[in-house]
Amino acid sequence: MPYKERSIEKQYFTIGEVAAQFKVAESLVRFWETEFDELRPRRSKKGNRLYTPQDIEVFRTIYHLVKERGYTIPGARDMLKQKGPQLKEKIDVVQSLEKVRAFLMSLKKEVDAAGKADPDAAE
């Protein structure tokens, strides 16, 4: 039976890794923990915060509401309580559309650059 390589996924992330992923300060991650009941990371024996992928999804939702959509913290808290699962689906769709847009924009730049480099190709 051939060896099947498995993809290894991290189960826990540190506060520094979460902050770096969203390009925010670690203090903001700690602050949002106090403001949002949905964001409750586990703690190691030393007391370090350990974020699961589910915690990161909750953080992504909060980040989207507060930083990208401009909600206040109480407004974001209410939105999470009212439309939690629906909101996650909408955010996933928006993120996938942003990736498609970025791909199309890079493709357009490549086509424009190729057209300028070889003006006889258009004829």
Side-chain angles (χ1 to χ4, degrees):
M1 189 171 205
Y3 173 72
K4 188 173 184 181
E5 190 171 326
R6 296 186 325 190
S7 64
I8 299 173
E9 294 182 19
K10 287 183 78 169
Q11 292 182 355
Y12 295 103
F13 298 87
T14 64
I15 191 169
E17 291 171 327
V18 174
Q21 183 177 351
F22 290 95
K23 297 179 179 86
V24 297
E26 292 178 14
S27 59
L28 180 69
V29 179
R30 285 190 291 271
F31 175 68
W32 282 356
E33 264 181 54
T34 63
E35 295 294 321
F36 295 94
D37 293 335
E38 295 85 3
L39 191 59
R40 290 285 170 233
R42 296 180 69 175
R43 299 272 182 150
S44 69
K45 290 181 181 178
K46 291 182 176 181
N48 297 335
R49 292 167 175 84
L50 299 173
Y51 294 87
T52 63
Q54 293 81 16
D55 292 328
I56 293 175
E57 285 301 318
V58 170
F59 191 86
R60 177 174 283 118
T61 303
I62 295 168
Y63 181 86
H64 175 75
L65 289 173
V66 175
K67 295 289 189 179
E68 295 173 352
R69 298 289 305 265
Y71 278 77
T72 61
I73 289 181
R77 194 180 306 126
D78 291 342
M79 185 65 90
L80 273 175
K81 288 181 181 172
Q82 290 175 3
K83 300 180 180 179
Q86 296 170 347
L87 192 59
K88 184 189 175 313
E89 290 175 12
K90 286 182 182 180
I91 291 171
D92 290 343
V93 169
V94 167
Q95 288 175 345
S96 66
L97 288 174
E98 287 173 350
K99 287 179 185 175
V100 169
R101 182 177 191 269
F103 171 74
L104 291 174
M105 294 298 286
S106 68
L107 190 62
K108 182 182 184 300
K109 285 181 184 176
E110 288 178 23
V111 168
D112 290 345
K116 289 179 183 175
D118 190 14
D120 294 334
E123 295 174 5

